[in-house]
């Protein structure tokens, strides 16, 4: 029986830990630091651990006989947690620091994609304001300006005109608005189409696709308003047709794994390709993430039937080719409930009512929640992700929104149209 440690504290980590804890081969799941939702789960225990201190993580794993570490967020991966734990003989699922550059540096990712002829938007890379502005003269609008490094989803500006583009360039390169992350920028062609997330589990050579999904990144109904980490997601996503699936699997995912192996940094872990699919069904890479998506994880974990610990361990051993994954054929849909004001400034510490749900086809995953004086209170921008499973997507949507209606804390905010793209006739 396996003892597992999950690193992270969001909705993604709640869903991963919840699924791991249900595995027939998992005895105990620890989450560092976890949230008020993971604290409530059977067979799950939150632990206080500085996850940036790898020697502390190693010591914890040794003392508690941890058989598998699953890393939720990108920062520890980019910082080398897999390298450090592997060197100490601990099975840690995720990419090495070198391989994690696919997310850690947009310049690295673009250079990699171009070199291996993997479909992506045309781009230029700059460290100087003057050359970036000169490049603009040869381009059309809108155009996309991206900070090179990790910027918590905030380092992307879609400029509608020259003035906005020059401002974004100045903010990043001259005024250091994103710190080091913005000392190098990418200027990229604006792609038109529909976005989809394509997430796989990879073992350095081979991969198994996770169920397809689509998230809603914009804050408001109709996919408008500021960009967020994601306001809801559903699975499966019909935009990923069998033809798109084939193209992405071969020309994007397999090509990426082959390229990374060839470049001496084989990729093991969850690989998430953010895609733009054009009117002809042709997909291009918008970005890579080297971890599972949040909130895509939540509906996808609702549908995963296989033992997640076994999948991760098989990937670490390079044995995915011999491994099968099974999915619940039903639809899962998750609605994010956020604090009003997210993604900017918002209140914390509000007491959440209505969390007791016991429908087996409904799950309320916690993200920004904490325990305070015996109550569960809000502690982050994205607070909960309310997920439901049903035979049809509209039924899953109805069920999720029924539960959302029952939960409140006075300043909750959520979109009322999650899944609309797959439901509009
Ligand atoms: P990224 O973090 O690179 O995925 O960018 C965040 C969001 O910006 C994406 O989800 C897209 O909605 C948008 N975006 C990024 N790059 C492009 C592009 N080249 N063309 C159109 N939209 C883009
Ligand atoms: N849902 C988008 C992300 O996890 O990056």
């Amino acid at each position: 029986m396996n003892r597992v440690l999950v690193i992270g504290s969001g909705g993604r980590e709640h869903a991963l830990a919840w699924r791991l804890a249900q595995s027939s081969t998992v005895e105990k799941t620890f989450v560092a630091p976890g949230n008020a939702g993971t604290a409530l789960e059977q067979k799950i225990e939150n632990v206080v651990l500085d996850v940036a201190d790898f020697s502390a993580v190693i010591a914890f794993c040794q003392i508690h006989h941890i058989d598998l570490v699953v890393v939720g967020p990108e920062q520890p991966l980019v910082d080398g947690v897999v390298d450090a734990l592997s060197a100490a003989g601990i099975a840690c699922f995720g990419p090495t620091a070198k391989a994690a550059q696919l997310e850690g540096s947009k310049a690295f990712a673009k250079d990699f994609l171009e070199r291996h002829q993997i479909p992506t938007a045309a781009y230029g890379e700059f460290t100087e304001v003057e050359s970036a502005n000169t490049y603009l003269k040869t381009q059309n609008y809108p155009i996309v300006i991206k900070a090179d490094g990790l910027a918590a989803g905030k380092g992307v500006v879609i400029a509608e005109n020259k003035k906005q583009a020059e401002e974004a360039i100045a903010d990043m390169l001259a005024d250091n608005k994103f710190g080091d992350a913005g000392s190098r920028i990418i200027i990229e062609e604006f792609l038109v189409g529909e976005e989809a997330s394509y997430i796989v589990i990879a073992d350095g050579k081979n991969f198994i696709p996770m169920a397809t999904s689509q998230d809603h990144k914009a804050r408001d109904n109709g996919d408008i308003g500021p960009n967020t980490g994601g306001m809801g997601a559903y699975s499966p996503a019909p935009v990923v047709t069998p033809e798109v699936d084939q193209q992405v699997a071969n020309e994007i995912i397999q090509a990426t794994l082959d390229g990374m192996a060839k470049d001496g940094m084989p990729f093991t872990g969850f690989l998430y390709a953010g895609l733009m699919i054009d009117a002809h069904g042709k997909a291009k890479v918008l970005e890579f993430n080297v971890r599972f998506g949040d909130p895509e994880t939540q509906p996808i974990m609702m549908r995963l039937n296989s033992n997640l610990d076994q999948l991760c361990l098989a990937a670490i051993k390079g044995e995915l080719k011999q491994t099968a994954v099974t999915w619940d054929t039903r639809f899962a849909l998750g609605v994010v409930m956020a604090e009003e004001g997210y993604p900017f400034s918002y209140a914390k510490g509000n007491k959440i009512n209505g969390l007791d749900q016991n429908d087996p086809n409904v799950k309320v995953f916690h993200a920004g929640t904490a325990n305070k004086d015996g109550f569960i209170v809000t502690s982050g921008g994205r607070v909960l992700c309310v997920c439901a499973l049903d035979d049809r997507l509209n039924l899953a949507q109805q069920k999720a929104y029924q539960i959302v209606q029952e939960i409140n804390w006075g300043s909750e905010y959520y979109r009322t149209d999650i899944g609309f793209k797959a439901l509009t006739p």
Side-chain angles (χ1 to χ4, degrees):
M1 291 292 278
N2 289 321
R3 296 165 63 81
V4 185
L5 170 67
V6 175
I7 292 180
S9 65
R12 166 183 49 213
E13 289 76 19
H14 187 183
L16 291 171
W18 171 78
R19 184 43 85 209
L20 284 162
Q22 286 171 9
S23 164
S24 56
T25 48
V26 169
E27 170 194 329
K28 174 99 195 218
T29 303
F30 296 93
V31 191
N35 57 38
T38 51
L40 287 174
E41 300 283 353
Q42 289 185 356
K43 298 207 310 185
I44 299 184
E45 184 180 330
N46 285 353
V47 292
V48 180
L49 191 57
D50 178 3
V51 295
D53 178 353
F54 299 156
S55 50
V57 178
I58 291 168
F60 178 89
C61 293
Q62 286 165 344
I63 293 165
H64 293 274
H65 307 288
I66 298 296
D67 302 291
L68 169 68
V69 179
V70 177
V71 185
E74 61 276 14
Q75 191 73 56
L77 295 167
V78 170
D79 292 344
V81 69
V82 170
D83 310 66
L85 270 63
S86 308
I90 298 160
C92 184
F93 177 68
T96 59
K98 269 189 175 167
Q101 290 177 93
L102 279 180
E103 178 167 0
S105 165
K106 290 194 191 285
F108 174 92
K110 293 297 286 190
D111 176 62
F112 171 85
L113 288 164
E114 195 165 77
R115 204 151 27 84
H116 293 280
Q117 294 168 353
I118 299 169
T120 190
Y123 81 108
E125 178 190 327
F126 305 93
T127 52
E128 305 296 331
V129 174
E130 206 180 310
S131 49
N133 285 342
T134 307
Y135 180 78
L136 284 182
K137 291 190 180 128
T138 63
Q139 301 299 307
N140 300 316
Y141 294 93
I143 196 152
V144 188
I145 323 276
K146 299 184 177 182
D148 175 51
L150 293 181
K154 297 189 182 79
V156 176
V157 174
I158 296 175
E160 299 293 340
N161 50 48
K162 180 163 171 260
K163 183 167 173 281
Q164 286 177 6
E166 286 180 351
E167 261 171 34
I169 290 168
D171 278 351
M172 292 185 198
L173 289 181
D175 299 340
N176 258 345
K177 206 170 157 193
F178 297 98
D180 269 357
S183 61
R184 180 183 302 273
I185 62 167
I186 294 297
I187 302 183
E188 188 176 271
E189 167 199 12
F190 180 77
L191 298 176
V192 182
E194 190 164 353
E195 281 185 57
S197 321
Y198 197 95
I199 305 170
V200 307
I201 179 169
D203 71 1
K205 220 169 162 179
N206 299 299
F207 71 94
I208 300 176
M210 296 285 106
T212 59
S213 64
Q214 190 171 40
D215 78 341
H216 292 272
K217 284 212 177 75
R219 186 190 60 191
D220 305 327
N221 281 354
D223 286 339
I224 58 171
N227 211 26
T228 72
M231 296 300 290
Y234 58 95
S235 170
V239 62
V240 185
T241 60
E243 293 75 32
V244 171
D245 189 272
Q246 267 300 308
Q247 183 223 336
V248 175
N250 298 332
E251 291 175 30
I252 294 178
I253 304 294
Q254 193 60 57
T256 298
L257 297 183
D258 293 348
M260 290 297 280
K262 202 166 150 200
D263 292 350
M265 43 189 134
F267 188 97
T268 300
F270 293 119
L271 179 63
Y272 169 137
L275 305 172
M276 188 69 89
I277 300 168
D278 72 14
H280 308 287
K282 173 102 177 133
K284 288 185 177 172
V285 178
L286 283 180
E287 62 159 346
F288 282 121
N289 295 311
V290 297
R291 37 115 188 131
F292 225 119
D294 189 345
E296 292 94 327
T297 308
Q298 292 86 316
I300 291 178
M301 286 301 124
M302 296 278 293
R303 297 186 56 221
L304 178 67
N305 286 334
S306 310
N307 286 340
L308 181 56
D309 56 316
Q310 296 300 331
L311 270 178
C312 296
L313 289 166
I316 292 171
K317 290 191 211 129
E319 292 174 355
L320 280 185
K321 211 167 180 173
Q322 302 93 282
T323 308
V325 177
T326 57
W327 300 98
D328 191 317
T329 54
R330 289 176 295 173
F331 288 82
L333 182 138
V335 178
V336 169
M337 297 184 73
E339 267 286 7
E340 198 173 68
Y342 172 77
F344 307 111
S345 62
Y346 48 82
K348 287 183 184 175
N350 290 313
K351 184 184 159 214
I352 309 172
N353 305 303
L355 283 172
D356 291 327
Q357 302 294 338
N358 40 30
D359 181 334
N361 293 318
V362 166
K363 181 72 195 170
V364 180
F365 292 110
H366 289 223
T369 65
N371 279 302
K372 195 174 160 220
D373 307 328
F375 296 111
I376 295 179
V377 301
T378 63
S379 69
R382 290 191 292 176
V383 178
L384 304 169
C385 180
V386 179
C387 291
L389 266 178
D390 214 316
D391 292 330
R392 303 224 321 259
L393 186 61
N394 64 331
L395 299 176
Q397 186 194 48
Q398 267 170 27
K399 197 185 281 178
Y401 277 111
Q402 261 165 25
I403 306 300
V404 166
Q405 303 284 326
E406 294 169 18
I407 300 175
N408 59 76
W409 60 83
S411 51
E412 63 277 0
Y413 175 85
Y414 52 89
R415 281 179 59 162
T416 57
D417 66 348
I418 299 303
F420 81 94
K421 280 185 179 166
L423 290 169
T424 325

